[in-house]
Amino acid sequence: MWKKYRVLSMMLVVFLLLMTAPLVLAHTVSQTWGAANEGTGLIFNTPVAMARDSAGMIYVADMANHRIVKINQSGSVLNKFGSLGSSNGQFNTPFGVAIDNYGNILVADTANYRIQKFDSNWNFIRAWGTKGSNPGQFGLAREISVDSQNRYHIVDEFNNRIQVFDENGTYLYTYGGMGTANGEFRLPQGISIKQSVTGDKVYIADTYNNRVQVLDVNGNYITQLGDGIQGDSGTRFFHPRGVSIDTNGDVYIVDTFNHKIKKYNSSHVYSWSTSIGVVRLEPCFPNQVIPLGDGSRFIVSDTGNSQLIKYRGYSTYASVEQHIGADRKANKVFSESVSSAVDSAGNVYISDTFNHRIQKFDSNGNLLAKWGGNSGGGGPEAYGSYYWQFITPKQVWYDKKYDDIYIADTGNNRIQVFTPGGTWLMNFGYYNLLLPMGVCTTSDGNIYVSDTGHNRIVKYNAFGYYVSSFGSEGMGNGQFRGPSYIAADSLNNIYVADRTNNRVQKFDKYGNFIAKWGTNGGVPMEDPLENWGEADGDLFLPIGITVDNENNVWVADSSNNRIQKFTNNGAFLEKIGSFSGTEGNFFSPWGIAFGNNGEMYVTDALLNRVTKFVP
């Protein structure tokens, strides 16, 4: 009898655990779209850092292709090394590459949380590092630079520090730490060391402090470029990511969110900056710059457009001299895939933002149509402001009531509406919107737009006429900081990915606040980096959002590189994916959409792919 009661008690405990624990559902990868057919040519996939060896050859961390590409200064390919994996000589989203004083090659094998070292012929020498925050571990290994003693200074971005190792990979010391004081960092990314017999100087792109700090090799502050205030001038930057020193001491800084390269002389006096191209919209979010050693030419990794641009600098300006790498504009290839939508027939619409187009597929991934400038041909030159053209489109939404496709044409400050067959119907928002990222519709025929630049939600009627708006900049209930994508449920409630506040907010159709959730229960902090959470239900700079047929809310927790599922009141249910280039994982997921049979399409902005999951 006692044995019987013990079995019943165990069954009751298991039942209670199942009732109280989050329900974990299985999602299987069915297809992946977006691979480019490179052939014998060169097609980059989110290139980031670069290095130059003593012979002047250039090494490129071709991040989403999981390899290092070696080219000469004319752009001819000399070698492509590496593939996706975790074995010696394989990489998983490598961010950094450097050449040490003896010609050895160092690679920041970022999603494998390690550094790999090779000789100049790519023979493996050693690897070190694991995931973590202890000495010798990495939160996110980014760029590498080498000092005159052949010590390796490695930017450990998520731990806000620089770790220093000897040439055997032995940990030596750390400098930095989270903060805004001299010698402290907020998500540092780029690094370059100016070797000198009078003392090496370390230049660090202190990205979220909007400055470049100059330190000695022990981390002692010397000076800085930029006053630390977000802006665009000779003394201000907007999230600088890269820095390099030419042989004559000139300093080149990648001012990423201003889409510029800024040059300073050896005394740190501002000389000039590049500007975004008019014929080709480039560079878009450049990541790194490498001077070629002749005092004038330099190469930029145009990360958004997945290409390299070679410039020639003059006394007061620089001009484009060459493009390296073919455009990612072939059919079924993406240049930052950022949103997805599915119509009643199961067709899938993908917002291919830096190709300035929408690509339409059937549920098996067969291309059906392309919308955008140059007949949807894509490329940095395909942007435009006429009807049926786009500039960096973001969220795409299917309206079930009228069977229409709504597109947030972000760079044109408008919303465009099409039939599923591609017939243009209307656009609206020119005089109300500033860089709108999100759009959704409700069953009563209204349209809601995430007016990102104005930190509010704007409501329009079915004809695109302004009705009302709600929200303002701030951290309170009903306030926003960078509202991104938006979604509606079957009851016409509105859900907003409130990006910089690290949360989701829920409203009724009149704009009345209902609920919030995310890191710290949806209560933000002034500095989003201080409010960064990775636990279940936490959010870090979320962008994408959608609602399934059961009114569950799915959030693209973009900077945590995962998808999270919540009830419509914010209770955590499950999560999918982590930071990796392997199948079923992500690096900056943005868009989520569901088909009629529960299939889920996730767009990955930095891996330039769409993953189809089936339940």
Side-chain angles (χ1 to χ4, degrees):
M1 180 65 70
W2 165 248
K3 183 176 181 180
K4 178 180 178 181
Y5 280 123
R6 186 172 63 178
V7 172
L8 289 172
S9 297
M10 291 175 65
M11 291 176 64
L12 178 61
V13 169
V14 172
F15 175 76
L16 290 173
L17 286 172
L18 289 173
M19 292 297 290
T20 56
L23 179 62
V24 179
L25 303 177
H27 294 271
T28 303
V29 174
S30 171
Q31 295 179 349
T32 303
W33 310 340
N37 182 11
E38 184 176 53
T40 58
L42 177 61
I43 301 178
F44 290 111
N45 194 358
T46 314
V48 281
M50 296 176 291
R52 181 167 59 90
D53 67 18
S54 59
M57 302 301 102
I58 308 300
Y59 299 72
V60 185
D62 189 10
M63 186 270 294
N65 277 327
H66 314 288
R67 66 184 182 182
I68 305 299
V69 177
K70 181 180 178 181
I71 60 175
N72 63 22
Q73 294 193 4
S74 297
S76 298
V77 176
L78 303 177
N79 195 4
K80 303 172 186 176
F81 183 81
S83 60
L84 177 59
S86 56
S87 299
N88 295 339
Q90 292 184 314
F91 309 114
N92 191 337
T93 64
F95 267 54
V97 60
I99 312 299
D100 76 5
N101 297 340
Y102 301 107
N104 298 306
I105 305 164
L106 304 164
V107 178
D109 187 9
T110 305
N112 282 324
Y113 299 95
R114 66 181 180 181
I115 306 300
Q116 292 195 66
K117 180 176 179 177
F118 306 87
D119 68 19
S120 59
N121 294 314
W122 288 106
N123 296 305
F124 176 80
I125 298 176
R126 62 177 54 88
W128 65 92
T130 57
K131 183 179 182 180
S133 57
N134 293 323
Q137 295 182 316
F138 300 101
L140 192 145
R142 194 149 185 135
E143 292 198 24
I144 307 168
S145 196
V146 181
D147 67 21
S148 58
Q149 298 182 52
N150 210 40
R151 297 177 299 192
Y152 309 148
H153 296 241
I154 300 172
V155 178
D156 186 9
E157 180 182 355
F158 284 0
N159 288 319
N160 296 289
R161 65 186 181 183
I162 310 299
Q163 294 195 74
V164 184
F165 300 83
D166 69 15
E167 59 189 23
N168 296 313
T170 302
Y171 171 81
L172 298 175
Y173 61 93
T174 292
Y175 55 94
M178 176 68 174
T180 59
N182 295 341
E184 295 180 333
F185 312 115
R186 293 172 67 239
L187 297 187
Q189 298 187 12
I191 186 170
S192 184
I193 296 179
K194 181 180 180 181
Q195 296 186 14
S196 173
V197 294
T198 60
D200 294 352
K201 292 182 179 180
V202 185
Y203 289 71
I204 298 169
D206 186 10
T207 304
Y208 277 73
N209 278 327
N210 294 303
R211 62 184 177 180
V212 171
Q213 293 198 65
V214 185
L215 312 175
D216 67 20
V217 292
N218 295 311
N220 297 306
Y221 178 85
I222 298 173
T223 186
Q224 69 183 46
L225 290 85
D227 58 16
I229 299 173
Q230 179 179 305
D232 183 11
S233 68
T235 59
R236 292 189 174 174
F237 308 107
F238 188 5
H239 291 180
R241 285 182 173 166
V243 57
S244 284
I245 316 298
D246 205 349
T247 52
N248 58 7
D250 290 341
V251 183
Y252 294 78
I253 296 174
V254 182
D255 193 2
T256 302
F257 277 51
N258 284 320
H259 311 286
K260 294 179 178 179
I261 310 301
K262 294 181 176 178
K263 182 182 178 181
Y264 300 78
N265 68 18
S266 58
S267 299
H268 300 166
V269 175
Y270 172 74
S271 300
W272 47 255
S273 66
T274 62
S275 58
I276 197 161
V278 176
V279 176
R280 291 169 59 96
L281 201 60
E282 60 185 15
C284 284
F285 299 105
N287 192 281
Q288 185 53 287
V289 56
I290 195 80
L292 298 184
D294 62 1
S296 64
R297 290 176 174 85
F298 56 97
I299 292 177
V300 176
S301 56
D302 179 10
T303 303
N305 287 313
S306 284
Q307 65 176 350
L308 305 183
I309 306 175
K310 183 179 178 180
Y311 289 84
R312 180 169 183 172
Y314 299 91
S315 58
T316 58
Y317 71 100
S319 61
V320 173
E321 191 170 85
Q322 182 185 0
H323 295 90
I324 302 172
D327 292 336
R328 294 184 59 84
K329 62 181 184 180
N331 294 343
K332 297 183 64 174
V333 175
F334 308 110
S335 186
E336 292 214 2
S337 46
V338 298
S339 183
S340 54
V342 184
D343 67 19
S344 59
N347 298 313
V348 185
Y349 303 79
I350 303 298
S351 185
D352 186 9
T353 191
F354 288 125
N355 277 319
H356 312 285
R357 68 182 177 184
I358 304 297
Q359 295 196 64
K360 178 182 178 180
F361 302 86
D362 67 18
S363 60
N364 293 316
N366 298 305
L367 182 69
L368 300 178
K370 300 178 293 184
W371 308 343
N374 192 27
S375 299
E381 76 286 351
Y383 68 98
S385 300
Y386 294 114
Y387 304 158
W388 216 73
Q389 293 181 326
F390 308 101
I391 300 179
T392 61
K394 296 299 189 291
Q395 188 175 10
V396 54
W397 177 271
Y398 173 64
D399 177 49
K400 298 177 182 178
K401 182 178 179 68
Y402 296 111
D403 190 34
D404 291 330
I405 306 297
Y406 286 73
I407 300 161
D409 187 6
T410 306
N412 280 319
N413 299 310
R414 66 185 178 185
I415 306 299
Q416 295 208 66
V417 187
F418 295 80
T419 68
T423 300
W424 180 87
L425 297 176
M426 67 174 177
N427 56 32
F428 58 90
Y430 286 109
Y431 307 108
N432 300 116
L433 304 175
L434 178 62
L435 301 176
M437 287 186 64
V439 60
C440 73
T441 60
T442 50
S443 62
D444 58 5
N446 289 307
I447 307 161
Y448 294 80
V449 178
S450 181
D451 187 10
T452 308
H454 290 133
N455 290 294
R456 63 176 183 171
I457 306 301
V458 182
K459 180 179 179 180
Y460 298 86
N461 67 17
F463 300 101
Y465 290 101
Y466 175 88
V467 175
S468 62
S469 67
F470 57 92
S472 60
E473 183 176 2
M475 298 183 291
N477 295 342
Q479 293 185 309
F480 307 105
R481 290 192 297 169
S484 300
Y485 291 3
I486 187 171
D489 66 17
S490 64
L491 301 175
N492 294 336
N493 296 309
I494 306 299
Y495 302 82
V496 182
D498 186 10
R499 187 168 190 254
T500 307
N501 283 327
N502 293 332
R503 66 183 179 183
V504 169
Q505 293 197 70
K506 177 181 178 181
F507 304 85
D508 68 19
K509 65 180 181 179
Y510 303 107
N512 297 308
F513 173 82
I514 297 176
K516 62 186 177 188
W517 63 86
T519 307
N520 195 31
V523 179
M525 299 176 67
E526 182 68 31
D527 184 352
L529 303 186
E530 296 284 358
N531 198 37
W532 174 4
E534 297 179 283
D536 293 346
D538 287 344
L539 298 171
F540 183 43
L541 303 178
I543 294 177
I545 193 166
T546 197
V547 178
D548 65 21
N549 290 333
E550 297 178 349
N551 280 339
N552 295 308
V553 182
W554 297 73
V555 181
D557 188 10
S558 301
S559 292
N560 277 326
N561 303 300
R562 63 187 180 182
I563 303 297
Q564 294 200 71
K565 178 183 178 181
F566 301 88
T567 68
N568 58 12
N569 288 316
F572 171 80
L573 295 175
E574 64 166 319
K575 60 186 176 183
I576 301 171
S578 61
F579 172 46
S580 176
T582 55
E583 184 178 88
N585 291 303
F586 311 108
F587 182 30
S588 196
W590 278 41
I592 318 166
F594 285 92
N596 297 328
N597 298 314
E599 62 271 30
M600 179 173 64
Y601 300 87
V602 179
T603 60
D604 194 309
L606 293 181
L607 294 178
N608 286 313
R609 69 187 185 188
V610 177
T611 302
K612 178 183 177 180
F613 295 86
V614 294

